[in-house]
């Protein structure tokens, strides 16, 4: 396995058990028809400045699109990942026609497709896909491809600087993307939250009684048995 394969494995690869369980370790958001880096560049900057996420990898797909590749430290359900990508489009690309979006996984059944590995040659166009540095993305204009194969070491170097999104970072980002009002402002929403055991090592021990509201919200946010919508709202309530 060369350096490029190692970086791909670190960032984007999922084992068979993960895939069979409907989980993903990477999310891809692209703009095509035509490719448009200025629009996608706004998303690249926004996820860092507004959502405090690590910078995603930038790619030209060799055919028709610029893409952002997000790496996940822990696998997520595909529908949760799809909801995140849809929320990014709602926030940063509200005027972009749905037909120009390339989302993987997609919130629309039947439209999600595994993105082609980068880099590689596309025989139908004769162009190469490649990961590119942020300051070079605009150079491609509306032709998101390379005429020659990119160097594997250079591609590995670009990927080596990409950090996977941690579970906590993802939950906070989803909370910031979720529109108000928060259901935690209403009594029925509290009633919908199940009793959750305290996290291991918590001062509450095995009891489900909580004296500290922040500890309760923290445990809800990190409890995989709680509905994702409620976990997101718990994370939002914990934001500074």
């Amino acid at each position: 396995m060369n350096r490029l394969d190692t970086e791909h494995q670190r960032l984007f690869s999922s084992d068979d058990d993960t895939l069979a369980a409907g989980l993903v370790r990477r999310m891809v958001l692209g703009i095509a028809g035509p490719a448009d880096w200025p629009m996608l560049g706004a998303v690249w900057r926004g996820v860092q400045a507004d959502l405090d996420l690590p910078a995603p990898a930038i790619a030209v797909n060799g055919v028709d699109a610029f893409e952002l590749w997000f790496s996940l430290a822990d696998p997520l359900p595909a529908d949760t990942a799809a909801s995140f990508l849809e929320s990014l489009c709602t926030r940063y690309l509200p005027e972009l026609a749905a037909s120009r979006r390339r989302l993987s996984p997609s919130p629309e059944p039947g439209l999600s497709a595994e993105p082609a590995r980068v880099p590689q040659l596309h025989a139908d166009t004769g162009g190469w896909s490649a990961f590119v540095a942020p300051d070079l993305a605009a150079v491609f204009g509306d032709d998101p491809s390379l005429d020659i194969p990119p160097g594997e070491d250079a591609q590995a170097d670009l990927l080596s600087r990409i950090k996977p999104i941690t579970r906590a970072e993802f939950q906070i980002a989803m909370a910031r993307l979720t529109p108000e009002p928060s259901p935690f402002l209403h009594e029925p929403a509290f009633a919908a939250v199940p009793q959750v055991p305290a996290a291991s090592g918590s001062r509450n021990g095995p009891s489900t009684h909580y004296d500290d509201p922040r500890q309760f919200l923290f445990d809800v946010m990190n409890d995989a048995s709680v509905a994702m919508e409620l976990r997101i709202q718990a994370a939002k309530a914990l934001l500074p």
Side-chain angles (χ1 to χ4, degrees), residues 26-42:
R26 59 100 192 99
M27 304 177 290
V28 180
L29 191 163
I31 295 180
D36 192 323
W37 171 246
M39 293 185 71
L40 196 59

Side-chain angles (χ1 to χ4, degrees), residues 98-185:
S99 60
R100 296 183 60 194
R101 300 176 183 176
R102 299 289 186 271
L103 306 183
S104 179
S106 171
E108 301 181 42
L111 292 184
S112 186
E114 186 72 13
R117 180 185 168 94
V118 178
Q120 73 167 292
L121 174 66
H122 291 269
D124 51 343
T125 66
W128 282 82
S129 62
F131 292 106
V132 300
D135 56 346
L136 293 180
V139 173
F140 290 86
D142 59 359
D143 181 16
S145 65
L146 275 70
D147 295 330
I148 59 176
E152 288 189 355
D153 284 342
Q155 292 288 282
D157 286 341
L158 284 171
L159 292 184
S160 70
R161 295 190 282 273
I162 301 300
K163 296 180 179 180
I165 300 170
T166 67
R167 185 180 299 274
E169 288 172 332
F170 182 84
Q171 290 173 335
I172 291 173
M174 280 294 288
R176 290 175 175 172
L177 287 170
T178 303
E180 296 289 358
S182 166
F184 280 97
L185 298 177

Side-chain angles (χ1 to χ4, degrees), residues 9 12-26 72-78:
Q9 182 75 22
F12 307 125
S13 296
S14 298
D15 57 36
D16 291 340
D17 290 341
T18 298
L19 294 173
L23 305 176
V24 297
R25 278 203 60 228
R26 59 100 192 99
L72 296 165
D74 299 301
L76 284 176

